[in-house]
Amino acid sequence: MTVTACLLVIGNEILSGRTQDANIRFIAQGLGAIGIALDEVRVIPDKRERIVNTVIECRARFDHVLTTGGIGPTHDDITSACIAEAVGVPLEIHRESFDLLEAHMGREKFNAARQRMAMLPRGATPIRNAVSVAPGFSIANIHVMAGIPRVMQAMFETLAPTLKGGAPLVSVAWHSTQLSEGNLAEGLEAIQARYPTLDLGSYPFERPDGRYGVTLVTKGYDAARVEAAGREVHALIESLGCTPVAGEPTFT
């Protein structure tokens, strides 16, 4: 069975448009490489009830729940407290994290606000990173990371080897500037019906010189079936009188 994950992007700044999320693609690709399918992404505000209820719902539906955002020192960084509430444990000072942060910042600068970053749900395992001493954490099947992309990526590199996944996601892509979705839709649907466990995608593109085309991508966790479906996609493109070109189009 496919191992699944849900990503919760937490932050009013994302929903207001003030900040553009830069983490989804990195996490999706990173999870796919270790055989975990990112099955759903939700963007939710910094509101206690919404975070708690969403975490409770998603942790029951997915093998892994990952979150980004809301673990800093300010009043709206409430993710850690909400995760503690969702799993039914207290939020408390994590002594090792407290000591590391204090040593890093110095006792004078390590004020009450910054000490909030050392508060984790009881029983949580810190997610260390090479960029910031402030930790993320894992508890049960929930993995909490920073929203700042550079810090999140460092946390994910620490987290990924600890996650139980499956076979890595593999893909085969073909494209042609001679293709149109209207002509290939019926044939692509027939291939999808023969390979229901795979994801067959059709992605139109426009080149800088004004030429249009379509990329057909076959993805899945069974490498042999992906390769077989990819051959059928290649044959479909040829049957439409077009020339298949391997891979994604480049625009140089």
Side-chain angles (χ1 to χ4, degrees):
M1 295 180 64
T2 302
V3 181
T4 61
C6 175
L7 172 61
L8 306 181
V9 180
I10 301 171
N12 295 336
E13 69 277 12
I14 303 294
L15 290 167
S16 70
R18 184 186 183 281
T19 301
Q20 181 177 357
D21 177 83
N23 294 326
I24 295 173
R25 182 181 183 186
F26 180 92
I27 292 171
Q29 292 178 336
L31 290 174
I34 57 176
I36 299 175
L38 182 58
D39 205 47
E40 188 170 315
V41 177
R42 299 190 190 186
V43 183
I44 58 176
D46 297 301
K47 294 183 178 179
R48 185 196 63 79
E49 186 175 357
R50 287 286 296 279
I51 297 172
V52 171
N53 290 342
T54 304
V55 168
I56 290 172
E57 175 193 348
C58 292
R59 67 176 297 224
R61 291 180 52 204
F62 300 95
D63 296 304
H64 300 284
V65 175
L66 291 84
T67 77
T68 61
I71 58 172
T74 59
H75 72 282
D76 57 347
D77 289 314
I78 61 173
T79 298
S80 298
C82 292
I83 300 298
E85 182 175 346
V87 299
V89 299
L91 186 71
E92 59 188 17
I93 290 290
H94 186 267
R95 178 47 58 181
E96 180 186 358
S97 297
F98 186 97
D99 293 343
L100 286 171
L101 283 164
E102 184 178 48
H104 178 73
M105 297 180 185
R107 183 168 297 180
E108 291 184 2
K109 293 183 178 180
F110 193 45
N111 57 25
R114 294 188 172 105
Q115 291 172 20
R116 287 164 50 92
M117 296 187 291
M119 298 189 71
L120 307 183
R122 180 179 294 172
T125 301
I127 302 174
R128 304 297 181 195
N129 71 89
V131 175
S132 165
V133 176
F137 63 86
S138 294
I139 185 167
N141 63 335
I142 307 164
H143 314 285
V144 178
M145 298 180 290
I148 299 171
R150 192 164 66 102
V151 180
M152 183 284 298
Q153 291 174 18
M155 288 183 176
F156 187 85
E157 294 301 327
T158 300
L159 173 66
T162 72
L163 299 179
K164 182 180 179 180
L169 181 69
V170 294
S171 65
V172 171
W174 296 98
H175 73 274
S176 175
T177 54
Q178 303 164 311
L179 278 176
S180 66
E181 287 194 300
N183 291 337
L184 63 83
E186 184 176 353
L188 188 62
E189 184 177 3
I191 298 173
Q192 179 70 85
R194 289 193 289 275
Y195 298 89
T197 62
L198 303 183
D199 178 16
L200 273 65
S202 173
Y203 306 104
F205 62 84
E206 180 182 5
R207 288 187 177 276
D209 61 8
R211 288 186 296 162
Y212 292 88
V214 179
T215 303
L216 300 180
V217 181
T218 304
K219 295 186 294 185
Y221 295 91
D222 185 327
R225 291 184 65 79
V226 169
E227 186 66 30
R231 288 193 296 269
E232 292 196 28
V233 168
H234 181 280
L236 170 63
I237 296 172
E238 288 188 322
S239 74
L240 295 171
C242 303
T243 302
V245 180
E248 302 275 357
T250 57
F251 304 109
T252 57

